[in-house]
């Protein structure tokens, strides 16, 4: 109480005294500055977000240059907009105090900056309500080199009773420009990452999900906002945003009466008012953003470097190529069939064999997707000698072994459901409703958390040589209810907290084991999940033509090393085309090797050798998108090492109409203008010669101003080129 009285005293100082105490907080990275400033009442506002100025004192001049319509509230530019007092627009936070009051007024108290490393700095800003013992601490974690900021909030209070949080955003950005364009994404199963670009108009545009799990199924949580004009690959100012949260999310875009843009992002408050006890801390997930003045390509490369260095599990490490049995066998396999596939794995030359769905359950055998989820014992009919026998056979074939699980889910027809119906997310007064013939386990329940952790731990305990996990999540949450949770309004948040606890426990005990984040495709792809997983599954749609478009869009936000791309029998394209597309990430195969022709098998084996020679630059180099498949007949992507000495270019014909091809040269990017380069075609199909002259020498200047033609046409629909600097 004394602290509140002291704080109130500070706020009653004369206007002259307060003006003298005006505080600027510049948050600077290599290229950009986000500048915060207190007003005469100690409200903290954003006065600038853009290119960094050479002299910090000049930031003070910026507010006076904007001659816009009045800000009647004084809160349009608030760094964390409240509700119930003066604000008339969308808030970042809404509360009901212990005495029933719905208003909130947050004012600056202090800030502290801590240098974590030469590249990373953490800024903490304390805001407090002068009338209530309620505070919000804003955190800004800046990654200087990559111009990336992680922002989140911690909400707490010391009131005499509980406080209800009705909204609790992670971040509240404020942008000033003449016009704004939003790039967002939508989709469904097998149709992930479909882009849409629209100009932002007045009112509120909301991107959100209420699915509980697999929350990116219809609406991914990533977006771009272009300022003044739509950004292209290499031109324009653009903001990339991504909420690091695997549960329900919400991002609001509101163009206000001054024509400025407010972006508020955080956990979706849908059906989730949160009862906050005194002294309890509510920590929001991180909102991640980067601003580029040189187009979408630069923004994506910044985000890729940041992700590999700081967020993606083992982002600068290696990955395993694999052969998966799913499209070869589906549920129909046995021990002998798997052992034959293991021989094929060795023959092809990949690192690992992955056993997919269908290996478990006995009372209700997992012979289709209607039964068995939750009963994680080896099926005795299919695997009479258990998983251990398959692991041993893999070792004898000099390949590693991985396995599929879906531990968050349960089949209604399972022993687990019969024994623990109270572990299942369902409402007893409602008819059960299924997604993919299954329900979700209640991870808000600590006993369920122990069970899910135990599924993974038991597999490794019994099979220490297990080398890979494919973690699936195919259902959304219907009839949300927890049998053990006292406050059902906390369910969606408690579920995600439970999932994170399980994943944290797994990574403490098994810190390096590769795990694929699969969710029936791209249903759960975000930077919260990817701190526990080495890769994600973009889509169950593995048609290579479709994948070119999907992988293109995913690649803006996620580095290629995190994208699991498999060669399958989807689509009508030849094996070479399918393999070339899958090589733009972490390569895998899901085909029947014994069904390949001699030439196809020879090509596949050679392609893996070629991939192993260039995978380092694909995984850890800089990506440049050269030809957009949505804007022409060709798609072209370059991966270049940071020294600009070696790279690989993937080129595809995406229009099969008569006489289409690469009629014009494609401009390269990311080269050194002064260096000289040779370009050689690799990954040729047996018996095919290349029209590319591998001895021709080009300057980087020529290739970036005039370009290079990969000679795509109906008989050359996929061309992979190796580019190398020469003395």
């Amino acid at each position: 109480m004394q602290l509140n009285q002291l704080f109130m005293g500070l706020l009653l100082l004369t206007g002259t005294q307060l003006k003298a105490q005006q505080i600027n907080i510049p948050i600077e990275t290599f290229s950009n500055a986000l500048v915060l400033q207190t007003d005469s009442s100690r409200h903290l506002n954003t006065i600038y977000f853009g290119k960094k100025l050479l002299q910090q004192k000049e930031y003070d001049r910026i507010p006076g240059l904007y001659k816009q319509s009045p800000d009647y509230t004084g809160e349009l530019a608030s760094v964390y907009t409240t509700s119930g007092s003066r604000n008339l627009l969308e808030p970042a936070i809404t509360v009901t105090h212990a005495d029933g009051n719905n208003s909130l007024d947050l004012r600056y108290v202090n800030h502290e900056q801590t240098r974590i490393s030469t590249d990373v700095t953490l800024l903490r800003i304390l805001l407090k309500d002068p009338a209530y013992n309620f505070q919000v601490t804003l955190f800004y974690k800046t990654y200087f080199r990559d111009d990336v900021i992680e922002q989140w909030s911690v909400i707490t209070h010391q009131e005499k009773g509980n406080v209800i949080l009705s909204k609790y955003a992670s971040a509240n950005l404020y942008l000033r420009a003449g016009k704004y364009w939003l790039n967002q994404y939508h989709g469904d199963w097998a149709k992930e990452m479909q882009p849409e670009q629209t100009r932002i108009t007045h009112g509120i545009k909301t991107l959100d999900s209420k699915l509980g799990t697999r929350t990116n199924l219809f609406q991914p949580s990533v977006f771009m906002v272009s300022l003044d004009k739509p950004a292209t690959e290499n031109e324009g100012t653009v903001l990339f945003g991504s909420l690091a949260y695997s549960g329900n999310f919400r991002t609001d875009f509101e163009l206000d009466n001054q024509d400025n843009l407010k972006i508020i992002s955080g956990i979706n408050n849908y059906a989730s008012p949160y009862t906050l006890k005194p002294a309890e801390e509510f920590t929001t997930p991180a909102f991640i953003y980067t601003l580029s003045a040189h187009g979408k390509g630069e923004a994506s490369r910044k985000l890729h470097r940041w992700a590999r260095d700081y967020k993606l599990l083992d982002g600068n490490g290696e990955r395993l190529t694999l052969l998966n049995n799913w499209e070869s066998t589906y549920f129909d396999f046995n021990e002998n069939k798997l052992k034959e596939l293991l021989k094929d794995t060795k023959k092809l030359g990949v690192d690992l064999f992955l056993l997919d769905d269908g290996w478990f359950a006995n009372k209700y055998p997992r012979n289709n997707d209607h039964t068995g989820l939750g009963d994680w014992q080896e099926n005795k009919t299919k695997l009479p000698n258990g998983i251990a026998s398959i692991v041993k056979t893999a070792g004898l074939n000099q390949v590693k072994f991985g396995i599929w699980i879906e531990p968050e889910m349960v089949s209604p027809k399972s022993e687990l459901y019969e024994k623990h119906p109270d572990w299942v997310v369902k409402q007893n007064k409602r008819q059960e409703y299924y997604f993919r013939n299954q329900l979700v386990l209640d991870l808000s329940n600590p006993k369920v958390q122990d069970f899910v952790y135990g599924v993974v731990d038991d597999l490794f305990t019994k099979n220490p040589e297990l080398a890979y996990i494919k973690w699936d999540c195919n259902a959304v949450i219907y009839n949300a209810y927890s049998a053990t949770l006292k406050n059902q309004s906390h369910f969606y948040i408690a579920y995600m907290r439970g999932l994170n606890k399980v994943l944290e426990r797994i990574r403490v005990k098994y810190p390096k084991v590769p795990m694929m984040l699969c969710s029936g495709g791209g249903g759960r792809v975000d930077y919260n999940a990817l701190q526990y997983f080495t890769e994600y599954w973009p889509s169950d749609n593995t048609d290579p033509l479709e994948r070119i478009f999907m992988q293109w869009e995913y690649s803006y936000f996620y580095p290629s090393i995190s994208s699991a791309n498999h060669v399958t029998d989807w689509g009508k394209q030849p094996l070479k085309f399918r393999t070339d597309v899958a090589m733009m990430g972490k390569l895998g195969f899901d085909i029947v090797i014994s069904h390949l022709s001699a030439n196809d098998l020879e090509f596949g084996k050679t392609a893996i050798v070629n991939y192993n020679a260039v995978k380092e630059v694909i995984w850890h180099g800089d990506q440049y998108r050269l030809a957009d498949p949505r804007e022409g007949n060709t798609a072209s992507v370059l991966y270049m090492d940071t020294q600009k000495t070696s790279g690989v270019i993937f080129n595809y014909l995406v229009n099969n109409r008569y006489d289409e091809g690469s009629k014009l040269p494609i401009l390269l990017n990311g080269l050194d203008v002064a260096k000289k380069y040779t370009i050689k075609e690799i990954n040729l199909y047996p018996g095919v010669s290349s029209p590319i002259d591998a001895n021709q020498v080009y300057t980087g200047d020529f290739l970036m101003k005039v370009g290079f033609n990969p000679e795509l046409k109906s008989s050359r629909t996929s061309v992979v080129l190796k580019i190398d600097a020469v003395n």
Side-chain angles (χ1 to χ4, degrees), residues 361-585:
N362 289 293
K363 183 176 180 180
Y364 303 107
R366 183 69 169 177
N367 295 324
N368 54 55
D369 64 7
H370 288 72
T371 60
L373 275 180
D375 300 343
W376 298 102
Q377 312 88 24
E378 296 102 325
N379 180 273
K380 295 176 181 177
T381 301
K382 294 179 181 179
L383 303 173
N385 297 302
I387 294 295
S389 175
I390 308 299
V391 175
K392 182 179 179 180
T393 303
L396 294 174
N397 282 275
Q398 298 177 307
V399 295
K400 298 179 185 295
F401 180 81
I403 200 164
W404 177 97
I405 54 173
E406 193 175 3
E408 298 168 69
M409 305 294 161
V410 62
S411 298
K413 198 170 184 180
S414 66
E415 290 186 85
L416 181 66
Y417 187 96
E418 292 175 346
K419 293 176 180 177
H420 299 286
D422 57 319
W423 285 10
V424 180
V425 176
K426 62 189 181 75
Q427 293 179 344
N428 292 329
K429 295 182 180 181
R430 306 293 179 193
Q431 182 180 352
E432 289 183 2
Y433 195 71
Y434 307 129
F435 198 108
R436 204 203 180 211
N437 309 303
Q438 62 196 56
L439 293 165
V440 180
L441 291 175
D442 177 16
L443 276 171
S444 70
N445 183 341
K447 292 182 180 179
V448 176
Q449 295 169 25
D450 290 340
F451 170 79
V452 173
Y453 170 78
V455 171
V456 179
D457 190 42
D458 287 349
L459 279 169
F460 281 109
T461 300
K462 295 174 181 176
N463 308 284
E465 295 179 357
L466 189 63
Y468 186 89
I469 293 288
K470 178 181 177 182
W471 182 301
D472 217 336
C473 172
N474 281 295
V476 301
I477 291 177
Y478 294 125
N479 294 322
Y481 180 81
S482 167
T484 58
L485 202 61
K486 292 182 179 179
N487 189 336
Q488 296 300 317
S489 294
H490 291 189
F491 172 75
Y492 286 115
I493 294 171
Y495 182 93
M496 290 314 307
R497 288 177 175 174
L499 175 61
N500 286 336
K501 285 180 181 178
V502 171
L503 293 171
E504 286 165 7
R505 286 176 67 185
I506 290 170
R507 282 311 179 192
V508 167
K509 190 167 183 180
Y510 307 103
K512 293 293 186 180
V513 175
M515 292 205 307
M516 180 203 290
L517 174 62
C518 181
S519 192
R524 180 189 281 166
V525 184
D526 66 85
Y527 276 118
N528 172 69
L530 285 173
Q531 65 186 322
Y532 305 112
F533 292 84
T534 48
E535 59 223 54
Y536 68 93
W537 182 238
S539 177
D540 282 348
N541 185 343
T542 52
D543 181 313
L545 187 60
E546 296 288 344
R547 273 298 189 105
I548 289 171
F549 291 84
M550 290 182 188
Q551 290 169 201
W552 181 281
E553 301 300 336
Y554 273 117
S555 77
Y556 282 115
F557 301 96
Y558 305 105
S560 58
I561 191 173
S562 66
S563 179
N565 308 330
H566 289 186
V567 180
T568 74
D569 289 328
W570 279 51
K572 299 179 181 180
Q573 296 80 9
L575 180 66
K576 172 177 164 50
F577 190 100
R578 288 178 272 150
T579 304
D580 290 352
V581 172
M583 284 174 67
M584 292 194 301

Side-chain angles (χ1 to χ4, degrees), residues 587-610:
L587 177 65
F589 290 82
D590 204 332
I591 55 178
V592 183
I593 304 302
S594 60
H595 291 178
L596 296 178
S597 68
N599 278 345
D600 273 358
L601 179 58
E602 182 183 347
F603 170 78
K605 293 165 68 173
T606 303
I608 291 170
V609 173
N610 289 333

